[in-house]
């Protein structure tokens, strides 16, 4: 058994070395035995890449049979020629799988502004189609990696009408990770049966509590997407409305998406520490989330996290500049269980306790505003020397 | 002659080693011979520091005689005790100078969340008052530094009614520099005579074209302020309305503020390169500025700048995620004079020419949208290993 996208019944996958990257697996196929209900969510970028447009168009039907993904080249900022390349990837996959092109989802990740080496893509898709198997989900998870240091895959079980069902997934990220679909690709599969609108609703909800709450560098990418395919191969009753079965599926998908999100942020470029930033006592969830995001993205907070320095003043300063109206004299801050600031000012605490709290995994940073009852949160990684190393010479 | 705050007639200054920092000058006084017209602009942070509240209150009168500034401790997140400390700094200065407390402006910069060592502040203010002299502007400029590696001061000459006048200034910054008054303190003096409302208008305009357009790390501080004092000691006719004299003063103040802003960003924490990000062809100036800011604050753009990598794809990606509606297929990008992208896609260009453009000072990044006629700009520094070094262990 595999734990990723081929854990649910009805799916095969493959990952091959097409030669798009200098070395390593760089082309993945995910194919369902039958046409699936499907849904996707995409980057909000105004300079989104050609494959995003093609995938969005095809998923509008709510049906899909196959997903083709390459790493090493984002096929972004490539103009009309890039759109033609994305469509050719779709056509090649459709032909290899034996389905209409409209049932193929395409995604790319890697360097921006460079054309795909289509000769390599062509032979790669053919090779991947030959390797498709129900135990190759991990190879696919490896093939979608860019600066990731390890593949991310997981699966969660649940039941529908007493029948065991599974939701599985793979994701890639590492850099350019930020809320609202940053360079993050995530593919989910399930052998439960759902209508496309319900599948879409569950995906939006799951992503909102997971992938959209992680940030490595605040840079949202041109290529992000999260896609889910439901094969129905478990033989459980179809989920056609809200209720217990939908809740069971939604909970499993959210759990899976959170596991993958945590893997993504732990493998953030150069990350040595991961923190959960929690904001409580806000007037609205939106305001709580906005503050959590500003704190989570603050370079000063992130470098202090890297240095293991419980510099809560930077947390307070980031809280104050989030553009949310608040009374700074009511703010409390905790690092782990150490209550370091109250009413906007320092409390008496042991510096070594606060420093020790920065050694936890994840580090828990908690901010209480005293403005209302709403809460929000983000996961973030630290800003390390290695982050600078990785990104100063990414293309060279 | 000095070039900074004591370049205009009617001002004395001093910088002393009060012992707030471990070593070095850390307390500055700036005193006018007579009460001046005065104006200030302040941080937009909701967790602004006690001295900000006191300075804002005192400048509401439009009059000031003295400015007292300490470095090494921000007196931020210090609650009611911190407010009492800020007021005591004002009272001590007023007594030493011989003016009402309401004519004293106070500012602090340094670590957040720590009380001021008031015994040292008391003796420091007394010592500074004894050292006040019309040639000590440079000492004051040194005394307000935190992680700055060099003092920032400059002056600009202009004429009012045929009379030579001068505007001088000093600033500090280095980290926590971001638009809308980040940890940045700037103090301007002039021997021209203006009404307080005109002085305020000129200050807001000058800061909007200088200090509010620089970013090092996007972190806006709790303590920023920019203050201007006009002594009238040049003996030129008072500027009491808009017109040629007001324009001459405004232009000189803006030139001075831009010089100081450029010094600030060049001395940004760990900066090895400085870039001007210019956005053209936007629908509105506000949208142009928003895009320029997102590009200027992007960690991926800033690390590529550090690495000397002409990775324009990151510039395009940052442009697309700024929250401004635009057609990515109309975007052009230049690095220096090298036109690297057109219609959202790569042009043919020599990689070595683009790399050479990253060796210019400043690096010029230009983005043309094709949406309208408005333009905007920001200055930024790169994100280096040294930035991480400085900020991982700032307190320790």
């Amino acid at each position: 058994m595999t734990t990723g996208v081929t854990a649910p019944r009805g799916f095969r996958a493959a990952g091959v070395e097409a030669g798009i990257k200098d070395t390593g697996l760089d082309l993945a196929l995910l194919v369902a035995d039958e046409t699936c209900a499907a849904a996707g969510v995409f980057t909000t970028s105004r300079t989104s890449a050609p494959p995003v447009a093609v995938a969005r168009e095809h998923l509008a039907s709510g049906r899909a049979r196959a997903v083709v993904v390459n790493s090493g080249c984002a096929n972004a900022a490539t103009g009309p020629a890039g759109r033609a390349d994305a469509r050719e990837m779709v056509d090649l996959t459709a032909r290899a799988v034996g389905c209409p092109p409209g049932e193929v989802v395409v995604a790319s990740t890697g360097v921006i502004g460079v054309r795909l080496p289509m000769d390599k893509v062509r032979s790669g898709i053919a090779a991947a189609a030959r390797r498709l198997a129900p135990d190759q989900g991990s190879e696919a998870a490896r093939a979608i990696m860019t600066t990731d240091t390890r593949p991310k895959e997981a699966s969660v079980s649940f039941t529908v009408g007493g029948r065991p069902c599974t939701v599985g997934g793979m994701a890639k990220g590492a850099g350019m990770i930020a809320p609202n679909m940053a360079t993050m690709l995530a593919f989910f599969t399930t052998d439960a049966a759902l209508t496309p609108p319900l599948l879409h609703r569950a995906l939006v909800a799951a992503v909102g509590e997971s992938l959209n709450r992680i940030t490595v560098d605040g840079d949202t990418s041109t290529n992000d997407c999260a896609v889910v395919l439901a094969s129905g191969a478990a033989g459980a009753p179809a989920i056609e409305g809200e209720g217990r079965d939908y809740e069971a599926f939604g909970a499993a998908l959210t759990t899976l998406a959170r596991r993958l999100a945590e893997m993504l942020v732990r493998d953030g470029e150069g990350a040595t520490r991961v923190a959960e930033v929690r904001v409580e006592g806000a007037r609205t969830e939106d305001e709580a989330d906005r503050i959590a995001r500003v704190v989570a993205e603050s370079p000063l907070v992130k470098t202090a996290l890297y240095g293991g320095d419980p510099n809560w003043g930077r947390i307070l300063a980031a809280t104050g500049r989030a553009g949310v109206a608040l009374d700074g004299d009511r703010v409390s801050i905790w690092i782990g269980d150490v209550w370091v600031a109250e009413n906007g000012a320092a409390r008496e605490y042991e510096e070594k306790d606060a420093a020790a709290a920065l050694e936890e995994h994840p580090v828990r940073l908690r901010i209480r505003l005293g403005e209302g009852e709403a809460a929000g949160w983000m996961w973030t990684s630290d800003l390390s020397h290695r982050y600078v190393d990785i990104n100063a010479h990414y293309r060279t």
Side-chain angles (χ1 to χ4, degrees), chain A residues 80 94 158 291:
Chain A
F158 60 104
I291 292 170

Side-chain angles (χ1 to χ4, degrees), chain A residues 251-327:
Chain A
L253 183 63
T254 300
T255 299
L256 172 64
R258 286 182 72 143
R259 269 191 217 165
L260 290 171
E262 190 175 348
M263 289 181 202
L264 287 170
V265 75
R266 278 191 192 281
D267 196 25
E269 285 176 346
T272 70
R273 284 190 173 86
V274 166
E276 178 179 292
V277 178
R278 191 174 161 75
V279 175
E280 301 172 351
R283 267 184 303 271
T284 66
E285 285 183 18
D286 179 58
E287 291 190 349
D289 285 345
R290 272 157 67 193
I291 292 170
R293 182 179 304 189
V294 169
V295 173
E297 291 183 356
S298 159
L300 291 173
V301 171
K302 287 162 74 78
T303 45
L305 187 61
Y306 174 54
D309 178 6
N311 192 334
W312 60 266
R314 292 181 179 177
I315 299 171
L316 186 77
T319 299
R321 71 175 169 84
V324 172
L326 57 88
D327 181 351

